[in-house]
Amino acid sequence: MNRLLATLATSAVLIAAGATGAAAQGVTADSSPAGPGTCVTGYRGVVVNDICATVSGDQVTFYGQTSPGSLGWTARTVPYRLTASLVGGGTLGTITPSVLVDRSGVAVGRLTVTVPCGSSATASLETTEWGWPPATATITVPSGC
């Protein structure tokens, strides 16, 4: 229920705020998960991908989560791509982690970007495993200033 309310609130803010294209001022990336934030589930199939965002002022942290799509899952390393960009603008950063996905699921990278006030950023998490159908989850959030 909280996830649904957070998603609806984010959508309302996006509609009200609009978006402008402006240059980003900073990007950091690492493999650790971020704290709680707004998440969107994108693909339900071989794996279930979530893309999440945590906003603090002009800093937006995007991170992914993935879990098996079936009970018969065998742990394996899966390649991903996490990309962030300004809405109507350029790419802010891309990371391409490969993670061991076990039956309980796992965090998939983290990318922290600086989003100019009044702008919005979008990020997508996609599975890049050869032979699997496209598996993309996308989220868009405004800067918090």
Side-chain angles (χ1 to χ4, degrees):
M1 184 66 170
N2 287 340
R3 181 182 277 180
L4 175 62
L5 292 176
T7 302
L8 291 174
T10 300
S11 297
V13 169
L14 289 173
I15 291 167
T20 61
Q25 298 174 6
V27 176
T28 61
D30 71 35
S31 60
S32 60
T38 301
C39 298
V40 174
T41 299
Y43 177 75
R44 296 181 184 274
V46 178
V47 291
V48 178
N49 290 334
D50 292 324
I51 182 79
C52 304
T54 302
V55 180
S56 178
D58 66 350
Q59 298 292 301
V60 179
T61 299
F62 294 106
Y63 58 99
Q65 299 176 27
T66 189
S67 58
S70 72
L71 295 176
W73 178 263
T74 302
R76 68 188 82 173
T77 300
V78 180
Y80 288 87
R81 181 176 18 251
L82 176 60
T83 302
S85 60
L86 284 173
V87 172
T91 300
L92 298 172
T94 299
I95 58 173
T96 54
S98 290
V99 298
L100 179 62
V101 180
D102 60 19
R103 290 183 187 200
S104 62
V106 66
V108 182
R110 183 174 82 177
L111 190 61
T112 300
V113 298
T114 301
V115 179
C117 294
S119 296
S120 295
T122 189
S124 63
L125 173 68
E126 63 182 316
T127 306
T128 58
E129 180 69 47
W130 184 86
W132 287 6
T136 303
T138 303
I139 190 169
T140 302
V141 294
S143 65
C145 54

